[in-house]
Amino acid sequence: MRAFIFPGQGSQAVGMGKALAEASPAARAVFEEVDEALGQKLSALMAEGPQEELTLTTNAQPAIMANAIATLRASGIDLAAKADFVAGHSLGEYSALCGAGAFDLATTARLLKLRGQAMQEAVPVGEGAMAALLGADLALAQAIADAAAEGEVCTVANDNDPSQVVISGHRGAVERALGIAKEKGAKRAVLLPVSAPFHCPLMQPAADRMAQALGDVAIAAPAVPVYANVTAAPVSDPAEIRRLLVEQVTGMVRWRESVAAMAAAGVTHFVELGGKVLGPMVKRIAPDVTVTSVITMDDIDALVGEI
């Protein structure tokens, strides 16, 4: 069995998609459609930078999605025929839903643009923070977050793999967690260079905006079951997809559990489209599976030949 997975924030880089667009008319059409849907030359920003502007969450979210879908379209692979499941990390869940036909491309781009804006505006710059706890599992990370909160928000945002968990919340609480993490035995604790505290209760204003936006768009049943971030379980019902995407804004990304559940369901091959961040996580969660990261045209050709 095979699962196609889609990366989240942090996968952006200046130059992304440029070679794909030059080599593949299908990829180029994706970037052109996204540019038109957003009314901005996002493809030029992706190709040429500057990095600081590309990294802004309102640009990074649709850019990472566009790159992943361009990679998929350049391959010509039909997910309904070749995938048993799809999943994506945070914003990557939208890419997965687009790839599986639940959203059309233009709708996905507009939703992610809004999601990026809403998440950025939910908390004033400087009031929130996120930190990666390395060498910490979920239980230890939760204990660290609880100890650091002291009446403020501090909670687990991403359960990425058995040795990497991300916490999110008020800046003061997250900074306290850095010291507590060392005391409680985490190998390292590092602040992340993000502009807002994603996937925590402080994102509720963004969740409210996404609830309104998602209520106004059509969602089709995906051609392939999608493992949802907040349940680590497959979902196909459009109403449930809508509800879970709203919950995802404030909820924990249960990536470790999602990958483990797909492996337990029989997935032996994970294909990451448009990035190479998720692959190492997958191998730490399920060491016996095969992981293929697909970024270049050579990668695409190799994958098509293989499946």
Side-chain angles (χ1 to χ4, degrees), residues 1-3 84-85 227 259-270 289:
M1 294 176 71
R2 186 182 295 110
D84 296 284
F85 302 110
Y227 265 76
V259 171
M262 285 185 274
V267 172
T268 56
H269 187 193
F270 288 81
V289 303

Side-chain angles (χ1 to χ4, degrees), residues 27-293:
R28 189 160 58 250
V30 169
F31 297 126
E32 290 170 354
E33 186 174 345
V34 169
D35 285 352
E36 185 175 348
L38 299 182
Q40 76 174 112
K41 287 293 288 181
L42 184 64
S43 59
L45 177 60
M46 293 164 65
E48 301 161 14
Q51 179 74 32
E52 308 80 60
E53 194 174 339
L54 179 60
T55 301
L56 292 174
T57 189
T58 186
N59 292 323
Q61 293 201 28
I64 291 164
M65 180 280 297
N67 190 57
I69 297 301
T71 305
L72 174 62
R73 299 266 178 95
S75 75
I77 290 171
D78 176 10
L79 291 183
K82 298 294 186 181
D84 296 284
F85 302 110
V86 294
H89 190 282
S90 190
L91 79 91
E93 190 164 330
Y94 285 79
S95 308
L97 286 161
C98 179
F103 291 127
D104 64 49
L105 178 60
T107 296
T108 311
R110 286 191 288 264
L111 284 171
L112 283 174
K113 185 77 174 176
L114 173 63
R115 185 177 181 268
Q117 290 171 339
M119 292 173 91
Q120 183 61 65
E121 294 166 5
V123 179
V125 173
E127 288 190 11
M130 300 180 77
L133 307 181
L134 307 178
D137 62 9
L138 178 60
L140 177 57
Q142 190 62 62
I144 292 166
D146 291 345
E150 296 183 11
E152 293 187 310
V153 170
C154 190
T155 190
V156 173
N158 303 346
D159 180 15
N160 284 334
D161 67 43
S163 64
Q164 185 196 116
V165 180
V166 174
I167 58 171
S168 182
H170 285 110
R171 176 167 289 277
V174 173
E175 288 178 346
R176 284 192 294 275
L178 300 178
I180 293 169
K182 291 172 187 170
E183 294 168 14
K184 289 189 176 288
K187 284 183 184 173
R188 286 180 66 208
V190 291
L191 282 174
L192 295 177
V194 295
S195 52
F198 306 131
H199 298 293
C200 80
L202 296 177
M203 287 286 112
Q204 189 58 48
D208 294 341
R209 288 176 66 181
M210 291 310 297
Q212 184 175 357
L214 286 160
D216 292 337
V217 301
I219 303 178
V224 183
V226 181
Y227 265 76
N229 282 182
V230 295
T231 61
V235 59
S236 293
D237 175 64
E240 185 72 352
I241 288 170
R242 182 178 283 111
R243 184 183 73 81
L244 293 174
L245 285 176
V246 174
E247 193 177 325
Q248 188 221 50
V249 179
T250 57
M252 178 173 70
V253 175
R254 295 169 63 181
W255 187 250
R256 175 185 58 83
E257 292 174 86
S258 297
V259 171
M262 285 185 274
V267 172
T268 56
H269 187 193
F270 288 81
V271 180
E272 180 178 3
L273 292 173
K276 54 183 177 182
V277 173
L278 299 180
M281 293 181 193
V282 170
K283 288 296 282 186
R284 287 191 288 270
I285 299 162
D288 294 336
V289 303
T290 301
V291 177
T292 305
S293 294

